[in-house]
Each structure stands twice: as C-alpha cells, then as structure tokens.
Amino acid sequence: MEVAVLAVIFGSIFGIFYLYFSTRNKERLALIEKGADASIFMSSKKRNAAPFWKVLILNLGLLAMGIGVGILLGTLLSYNFGYNGSWQNRPENAIDSGVFYAASIFLCAGGALLIGFKQTKKLDRE
C-alpha cells in the first residue's frame, strides 16, 4: 500500500515537470519557426534587487520586535483584563490570560511581517 502511494506521488511530480518542460520546449520551437529572436529565451540578470541577506535580517529583526511587543502587550492586557485567581473561584465570564498572550503575539508578529514586506519592496526600488 505504501509503495503504491509513493509511486503515485512521485509519478505525479514527474508528470507535472514533464508537461511543463515539454510544453515550454514546444512553445519555444514554434516561436523560433515563426522567426522570433532566440534572445528572448535567455534569462537576463534581474534588475538591482536587494540582497537576500538584507531582506532576511530585516524580516527576522522586525519579527523579533513584533513578538517582543506582542508579549509586552499580552502582559499588559492580562494584567488589566485577565483573571489571576484560583480556578475553583473563577467567575463565569473571566477571560483566560493565555488568550491575551497568544492573540497579541500573533497580531504583533503579523503586523511586523507586513511592515517588513513593505520595507522590502522599498529596498527593491532603491
């Protein structure tokens, strides 16, 4: 059974690559037959894009800052709105403080990654 699943997976991957490359080859041959210049198939060097290490460091730094701000915000929200009493005497409408931590960490980290995306686009333009 496992062999059949692996064969289907690898066969599907092979089929996708085969169709991609054979179709690309046929399209290129058709363009050459019509008289198109072959230089359109040469991949030219990309325009001056920001180096990968700059983008990685920018996004990791902003992500770490977002997580830190999220923990700080979660602590403040938990302190002000959370319930820190025992579980036996907990009121029905009390909010667990873990909810504040998780929500604020994910929201701030996501916001930091969005800022990183905008900054990366700005780096690419320069």
Side-chain angles (χ1 to χ4, degrees):
M1 182 67 181
E2 295 87 9
V3 175
V5 171
L6 284 176
V8 167
I9 291 172
F10 286 119
S12 299
I13 292 171
F14 173 76
I16 290 170
F17 279 106
Y18 176 76
L19 286 174
Y20 172 75
F21 286 115
S22 65
T23 304
R24 187 176 76 166
N25 186 32
K26 289 177 186 175
E27 288 175 351
R28 288 182 176 189
L29 287 174
L31 283 173
I32 290 172
E33 285 176 1
K34 290 182 179 180
D37 188 18
S39 65
I40 62 172
F41 303 125
M42 303 301 173
S43 61
S44 61
K45 187 169 177 127
K46 289 184 179 178
R47 59 181 179 85
N48 296 334
F52 178 72
W53 64 271
K54 283 185 180 179
V55 173
L56 182 68
I57 289 176
L58 173 70
N59 284 324
L60 286 178
L62 285 170
L63 179 64
M65 288 172 49
I67 290 172
V69 169
I71 291 172
L72 178 65
L73 183 66
T75 302
L76 292 173
L77 289 172
S78 174
Y79 180 74
N80 290 325
F81 299 113
Y83 180 73
N84 293 329
S86 69
W87 286 97
Q88 289 87 16
N89 299 330
R90 183 176 180 183
E92 295 272 334
N93 59 355
I95 299 173
D96 187 18
S97 61
V99 172
F100 293 120
Y101 282 107
S104 62
I105 288 172
F106 282 118
L107 282 173
C108 290
L113 287 175
L114 284 174
I115 292 170
F117 177 72
K118 298 275 186 192
Q119 292 297 322
T120 301
K121 283 175 59 175
K122 199 180 289 185
L123 271 177
D124 282 342
R125 278 189 229 132
E126 293 175 356

